[in-house]
Amino acid sequence: EIPRRTGTVLIIDETHTISSGPGGYTAQHGLEPDMLVAGKAIAGGIPAGVFGVSREIAERLWAIVPMVNPRVRQSAHLGIGGTLAGNALTVATMRAVLEEVLTPANFEVMIANASRLAEAARGIISASRLPWHVTQVGARAEIMFMPAPPTNGADVIAGRRGDLETLLHAFYMNEGILVTPFHTMFLMCPATSPADVDRHTEVFARFVDLVRGAGVV
């Protein structure tokens, strides 16, 4: 309502928040963006990107920048395009992922597993009285070594514990668990099982015992 009232263009980037469910965060919360973008998640990890704009925004663009009008031949140096635009492999993969993988049924299973992991990790953190928290966005959950969820990049930089992140990654790797690089995020997929989640819970509990016993926290 605020963007409409103020004439502001609402742009939503679903590169990460598409984990919220079919249609991403936008559909989950009934939002109406003027522009929307999504990344490689809709192609199963193969480099891909899509964008969409409302008819109103498209018409404004065509009026301001005639060279992006699809009804007019474009210069090779302007507009959106290139040798990789509409790549047949990428388009075919996106169709397969959207039809067979990112389905409502699969999202139900993935989100349930993410909730299972997040709740178990929160229980361990709470029982150990550690200043950590777990953030969940749909099918993804992340353990963060700070007391409250960050609200911007500066909060992350100021509060993150690189030593604990490195230690956890090494500890997990020795246990056969690979974690997303650069942070401690777990993204569920249709093949993830409750047993996989419970295995993580057991390993995370031992990690907590390790760092508490060593006086790291």
Side-chain angles (χ1 to χ4, degrees):
E1 186 275 332
I2 294 174
R4 298 295 183 272
R5 175 163 45 83
T6 60
T8 305
V9 175
L10 175 60
I11 304 174
I12 297 180
D13 181 351
E14 292 276 6
T15 298
H16 292 284
T17 53
I18 195 172
S19 62
S20 299
Y25 191 91
T26 301
Q28 182 184 49
H29 295 278
L31 304 178
E32 298 180 1
D34 299 298
M35 302 180 70
L36 182 142
V37 298
K40 62 183 180 294
I42 65 169
I46 287 179
V50 296
F51 72 96
V53 301
S54 66
R55 174 174 291 277
E56 179 185 357
I57 293 297
E59 291 176 347
R60 286 169 60 183
L61 287 171
W62 294 343
I64 297 171
V65 189
M67 293 305 298
V68 302
N69 191 331
R71 301 183 181 88
V72 179
R73 183 182 183 280
Q74 297 184 31
S75 162
H77 304 290
L78 293 173
I80 296 175
T83 55
L84 297 180
N87 178 281
L89 172 63
T90 300
V91 173
T93 305
M94 285 193 292
R95 178 170 183 172
V97 169
L98 291 172
E99 289 183 346
E100 306 294 335
V101 181
L102 300 183
T103 63
N106 280 341
F107 262 114
E108 183 176 350
V109 172
M110 294 188 292
I111 292 174
N113 280 324
S115 298
R116 185 187 186 98
L117 186 148
E119 290 169 7
R122 289 189 186 111
I124 294 170
I125 291 170
S126 176
S128 301
R129 298 182 179 180
L130 293 172
W132 304 347
H133 77 275
V134 181
T135 294
Q136 181 184 354
V137 180
R140 62 187 285 168
E142 181 166 0
I143 297 170
M144 305 194 77
F145 302 116
M146 55 183 71
T151 58
N152 52 51
D155 288 349
V156 174
I157 294 172
R160 76 183 309 170
R161 290 284 304 273
D163 56 344
L164 286 176
E165 291 178 17
T166 300
L167 180 61
L168 181 140
H169 280 237
F171 186 86
Y172 275 24
M173 191 175 297
N174 286 331
E175 296 291 337
I177 298 176
L178 294 178
V179 187
T180 303
F182 316 121
H183 51 150
T184 311
M185 189 270 287
F186 307 90
L187 180 60
M188 305 298 129
C189 74
T192 306
S193 69
D196 294 327
V197 173
D198 293 342
R199 164 70 173 151
H200 168 267
T201 299
E202 183 264 327
V203 172
F204 179 60
R206 286 197 284 113
F207 172 79
V208 169
D209 288 340
L210 171 72
V211 296
R212 292 185 72 223
V216 177
V217 294

